[in-house]
Amino acid sequence: MSGGDDSNPVNSTDKPRRTSRPRSIKRKKHEDPDATEPILPTKLIVTERLTRRVRRSPNPKQTLLPQTTWSAKDDLKLVLAVQQCCDLAMVHKCVKFSQKHTYQEIEERWYQLLYIPEISNPATAAIANLTLEEKSAIERKALWSSKEEAILQQVEASSQPKIDFFASLLHQHPLIFYPARTPRDLMIQWERLRQYSLLADQSVQPQNLAESVLNFSDVEEQMTDEELLSEQPDPVLQSEMRKIDRRHKLEIRKLEDEIKHWHTMVGGPDNGPFSFDLDNETYAALRGRLVRYLMRSKEITLGRATPTHQVDVDFSLEGPAWKISLKQGIIKFHGGEFFLWNFGKRPIYIDGHPVIQGCHTKLHHQCVIEICSLKFIFLINQNMTETKPDKLTNHSGPSTSGGGGVPGGPHGGK
């Protein structure tokens, strides 16, 4: 058997088997086995790769420009001011920018406009894009140079120059005055110089502060009591004072009359915490911190008074009562005893015990009634209750305990 026979099993077993591995590159479905790929020169391939790499890599010379708050108008103001006075300190004091800048910021911005093209070129383009009205408004407010002020100072202060004189002055010196100046601008600047005595024919006399200014002690020594007492009173002032005094007295009398009117229902403050002086027509009293409510009928309503709703006891006179209901409850004298019914949403506390809505309780002498941080002391006129006992024994009030009569317990209805 020849060695080239492929059917030999020994030769077939000696060949290593090829294991299947996942390929990362997929071939095309219709691939021509006879077709050969074009061979490109090695230099071309390297050049193409380098070109792509250079495009993707950032430029190492590219620098990030600092963010600035200077606008085109501010740059124009800075340039004009420096050209006029040639002094950055004067620019910092006299020019008003859109934002407040320090002297170091102004100096740094001027350096950038001079020596950094990446900043100066966009700033110059932004200034060129300004409208004619914006440029003229900024140029008219440019600082005055020393040469311009020197020409204006030669005009005499005693003369009264007109607008035509400044127009001729502007025509005689076209190279000194800024092109945006008008005769009216020159006239206003000349008047400003004359006001501060800066013209050539004006002079300011220095004041002797030692002689002109006096201390308070020196003035006090020069004044005498006789001079003060010898002054005659002003008759106009005296008449006005009398009118004001008479008006105040009328107001006091009116208030006194109103106090008497209020005493018919509300009493004034007492001397002691439980002392009171009630007449024979008063059953009891509710004494608060500021006012005292008098109970002159067998039944009174408690609550908050409004223009359309009136109650016998208005808690708003004692303090803040906006949380109290319009009709918070009633106090009734029945069978020689006093009872309180609560009709409002807020509970009423009797000596610390709550009486909720729809419930009632008995009141005793000197008990504390509290509603929405307002505290009152219930004072009973013992003489009145003994001489005029209640005869309406069959009268019944509202109750939540289910019975028709008036409860007698301290916290009935609960």
Side-chain angles (χ1 to χ4, degrees):
M1 296 178 65
S2 62
D5 191 1
D6 296 337
S7 63
N8 190 358
V10 178
N11 296 334
S12 62
T13 55
D14 293 341
K15 295 180 180 180
R17 296 183 180 180
R18 187 175 181 181
T19 59
S20 62
R21 295 181 181 179
R23 297 181 180 180
S24 59
I25 301 176
K26 296 182 179 180
R27 294 182 180 179
K28 296 181 181 181
K29 293 182 179 181
H30 304 284
E31 185 177 3
D32 190 2
D34 298 334
T36 58
E37 295 181 358
I39 300 175
L40 298 176
T42 307
K43 294 183 179 180
L44 182 60
I45 297 175
V46 174
T47 305
E48 185 179 358
R49 290 181 180 178
L50 290 175
T51 305
R52 293 179 180 177
R53 190 175 300 175
V54 168
R55 289 179 181 177
R56 293 180 181 179
S57 62
N59 187 6
K61 296 183 180 180
Q62 184 178 3
T63 58
L64 295 176
L65 298 178
Q67 295 183 357
T68 179
T69 57
W70 289 80
S71 61
K73 295 182 180 180
D74 292 343
D75 290 337
L76 182 57
K77 290 180 182 179
L78 178 59
V79 172
L80 293 178
V82 173
Q83 290 177 356
Q84 287 295 107
C85 63
C86 300
D87 188 2
L88 291 177
M90 186 65 66
V91 173
H92 175 253
K93 293 179 181 180
C94 300
V95 179
K96 184 178 180 181
F97 298 100
S98 60
Q99 295 183 4
K100 189 175 181 180
H101 297 286
T102 61
Y103 176 78
Q104 290 76 13
E105 293 176 352
I106 294 175
E107 186 178 11
E108 182 181 359
R109 184 60 178 178
W110 179 248
Y111 175 81
Q112 292 174 357
L113 294 177
L114 284 180
Y115 301 108
I116 302 179
E118 291 81 1
I119 297 178
S120 61
N121 293 337
T124 306
I127 293 174
N129 292 331
L130 293 176
T131 61
L132 185 60
E133 291 79 6
E134 294 175 346
K135 289 182 180 179
S136 61
I138 295 173
E139 290 176 352
R140 290 190 62 182
K141 296 180 180 179
L143 295 180
W144 292 81
S145 63
S146 58
K147 295 181 179 180
E148 291 176 338
E149 291 183 349
I151 296 175
L152 293 177
Q153 288 174 354
Q154 299 302 323
V155 182
E156 297 180 356
S158 59
S159 62
Q160 298 294 332
K162 302 297 181 181
I163 195 72
D164 299 335
F165 174 78
F166 292 101
S168 63
L169 193 65
L170 187 63
H171 181 71
Q172 294 174 5
H173 305 279
L175 300 179
I176 296 178
F177 289 103
Y178 191 74
R181 306 290 187 200
T182 59
R184 184 172 182 80
D185 295 337
L186 269 65
M187 184 175 181
I188 294 174
Q189 183 65 13
W190 178 81
E191 292 177 352
R192 190 180 293 114
L193 294 174
R194 186 182 62 175
Q195 179 182 359
Y196 292 101
S197 302
L198 297 177
L199 298 179
D201 58 343
Q202 288 180 331
S203 61
V204 180
Q205 297 295 334
Q207 295 182 355
N208 191 355
L209 299 178
E211 297 180 358
S212 61
V213 179
L214 297 178
N215 297 329
F216 180 77
S217 59
D218 299 336
V219 177
E220 188 177 9
E221 290 178 357
Q222 295 178 1
M223 297 177 62
T224 59
D225 296 339
E226 296 179 356
E227 294 179 356
L228 297 177
L229 297 175
S230 62
E231 294 181 358
Q232 297 295 331
D234 188 3
V236 179
L237 180 61
Q238 294 296 328
S239 62
E240 291 294 332
M241 293 294 293
R242 286 193 295 270
K243 290 180 182 179
I244 294 174
D245 186 45
R246 185 165 56 254
R247 191 183 303 113
H248 289 172
K249 289 181 180 179
L250 291 176
E251 292 179 359
I252 292 173
R253 291 177 183 176
K254 188 183 295 183
L255 291 175
E256 289 177 352
D257 296 338
E258 292 181 359
I259 290 174
K260 295 179 181 179
H261 174 72
W262 281 102
H263 268 294
T264 58
M265 188 61 196
V266 181
D270 300 323
N271 296 326
F274 304 110
S275 63
F276 63 96
D277 187 11
L278 302 178
D279 53 11
N280 295 329
E281 299 296 330
T282 304
Y283 289 90
L286 276 175
R287 184 185 182 280
R289 184 175 60 90
L290 300 177
V291 294
R292 185 180 63 191
Y293 303 94
L294 305 179
M295 181 176 177
R296 293 187 174 180
S297 60
K298 294 183 179 180
E299 181 177 341
I300 59 174
T301 58
L302 314 176
R304 177 167 48 89
T306 61
T308 58
H309 179 77
Q310 298 296 327
V311 292
D312 297 328
V313 177
D314 185 10
F315 288 135
S316 62
L317 299 176
E318 175 67 17
W322 57 277
K323 291 185 178 180
I324 298 176
S325 302
L326 296 180
K327 186 177 181 182
Q328 183 67 35
I330 62 172
I331 295 178
K332 180 178 291 187
F333 179 71
H334 181 78
E337 295 178 344
F338 293 89
F339 297 91
L340 181 141
W341 277 267
N342 184 12
F343 299 141
K345 296 181 180 180
R346 301 282 177 176
I348 301 176
Y349 294 89
I350 308 298
D351 291 335
H353 301 282
V355 180
I356 61 176
Q357 184 180 11
C359 299
H360 52 267
T361 185
K362 180 182 176 181
L363 300 178
H364 57 84
H365 183 56
Q366 295 183 359
C367 65
V368 179
I369 301 175
E370 181 179 357
I371 171 71
C372 294
S373 301
L374 300 179
K375 295 182 180 181
F376 303 90
I377 299 176
F378 187 70
L379 305 175
I380 299 175
N381 190 356
Q382 303 293 341
N383 298 329
M384 185 68 180
T385 56
E386 291 177 359
T387 56
K388 291 185 178 182
D390 189 4
K391 298 180 181 180
L392 301 176
T393 56
N394 296 328
H395 180 75
S396 60
S399 175
T400 58
S401 60
V406 177
H411 301 285
K414 292 186 67 177

